[in-house]
Amino acid sequence: MPAARHAGGGAGSGTMTVVRIAGLMRSGTNLLTWALRHNFAATGTATMLLGWKHGPVYRDRAVLGLDDYVDPRYRQNLQAFVREHPQEWMRVTASPLYRAAATQQREQSFAVALAVRDPGAWYASCLRISREYPGFLLHGVEPAAAAAFWDASHRAWLGALGERSAIVDTDALRRDPEPWLGRLAAGLRLERLPGQRLPGHYLHPRAMEEVYELLGAEPPDALEREPASADAVDAGQRAQFLALLDRDILARLGLGAAR
């Protein structure tokens, strides 16, 4: 993570601003995390420590526990790690990121960066991933199930963003990063580092494993090229999915008419 260079966060939270990443699987959360880590000073990204990035933003509790940190499918793995490696876990809880996250959860002073994508592109990506890795997604991919999950997830995040927040179209961030990095700086009240950095290729889905964050280490920058075959989806199925989405939520996310 970049060295601390400006005062961020609330009282008692030190100089690090902790940004809670949020967004659906396949929405570009890895790209958003990478951009924040490489373009801003005194910024710590939380994909676990303020709640799993694909789960709720908790505004109703001062303290989060182990079960809040990870993908529900892997809670037992984290519990086993804490139980079997107490010295490593003590190192985690003593790390600047953990302490800053805990303080800013208690103060509710953390920032939130919400990753969004054009819904049609998101849906196509979900269908491809579901075909290649059955059971990977935690929601159904039939149009009605996917639309209900999309609406419910974004409705909850919109209600929990807080004053220090930014909604980022990650496809647009990749195409034209400068204005989106500016929005992140303004909405999250962060200091830009000199220059502009964005990965040249797509981030590998597993390149940002949260264990790196918990252990206070820099995640690897493993990159992969975009899959050669474009996401494909039946036009009728896609149209049905898009027709079921809440238009008010689309507008509030800045996505406008779904393409």
Side-chain angles (χ1 to χ4, degrees):
M1 288 177 292
R5 291 176 54 182
H6 84 299
S13 59
T15 60
M16 181 187 298
T17 295
V18 182
V19 180
R20 202 284 199 187
I21 305 298
L24 297 175
M25 290 180 173
R26 315 306 303 161
S27 67
T29 54
N30 283 345
L31 173 62
L32 179 56
T33 301
W34 197 100
L36 283 162
R37 281 176 165 153
H38 290 82
N39 289 281
F40 298 94
T43 300
T45 53
T47 58
M48 288 181 64
L49 297 180
L50 292 172
W52 184 42
K53 64 181 179 179
H54 301 307
V57 173
Y58 296 106
R59 294 294 188 184
D60 59 347
R61 20 183 140 161
V63 179
L64 299 183
L66 288 180
D67 286 350
D68 301 311
Y69 290 162
V70 294
D71 179 335
R73 295 170 294 186
Y74 304 123
R75 284 173 177 165
Q76 291 184 344
N77 299 47
L78 181 57
Q79 291 168 352
F81 174 83
V82 173
R83 184 173 60 251
E84 296 167 10
H85 304 279
Q87 294 302 316
E88 283 295 296
W89 186 246
M90 285 178 63
R91 185 163 70 87
V92 169
T93 58
S95 70
L97 178 60
Y98 185 98
R99 289 185 284 107
T103 297
Q104 291 178 37
Q105 174 67 31
R106 184 172 64 252
E107 298 173 345
Q108 288 294 301
S109 59
F110 58 87
V112 179
L114 175 59
V116 299
R117 289 187 72 190
D118 171 76
W122 174 82
Y123 184 52
S125 183
C126 286
L127 288 176
R128 177 175 62 82
I129 289 296
S130 182
R131 288 193 301 268
E132 295 178 2
Y133 304 101
F136 174 77
L137 299 173
L138 297 182
H139 59 84
V141 294
E142 291 303 310
F149 184 81
W150 192 96
D151 280 348
S153 298
H154 289 99
R155 184 179 296 111
W157 283 320
L158 283 168
L161 286 180
E163 294 183 2
R164 194 172 188 176
S165 62
I167 299 170
V168 178
D169 181 332
T170 55
D171 289 327
L173 170 65
R174 184 178 292 281
R175 289 192 305 269
D176 185 14
E178 188 57 36
W180 291 95
L181 293 175
R183 291 190 189 191
L184 283 166
L188 306 180
R189 305 172 200 164
L190 301 177
E191 177 188 339
R192 286 280 301 273
L193 292 171
Q196 177 194 105
R197 296 194 65 198
L198 212 66
H201 303 300
Y202 279 72
L203 289 165
H204 190 282
R206 298 189 181 277
M208 291 263 184
E209 293 287 5
E210 283 85 355
V211 68
Y212 291 97
E213 177 185 75
L214 279 176
L215 294 176
E218 183 74 11
D221 286 346
L223 303 176
E224 67 174 9
R225 292 188 180 277
E226 186 177 6
S229 58
D231 293 331
V233 57
D234 176 82
Q237 196 175 26
R238 178 180 182 276
Q240 185 181 353
F241 165 76
L242 293 175
L244 291 168
L245 296 181
D246 186 306
R247 316 318 284 181
D248 177 63
I249 293 176
L250 282 169
R252 292 172 65 191
L253 291 172
L255 296 173
R259 298 181 290 277

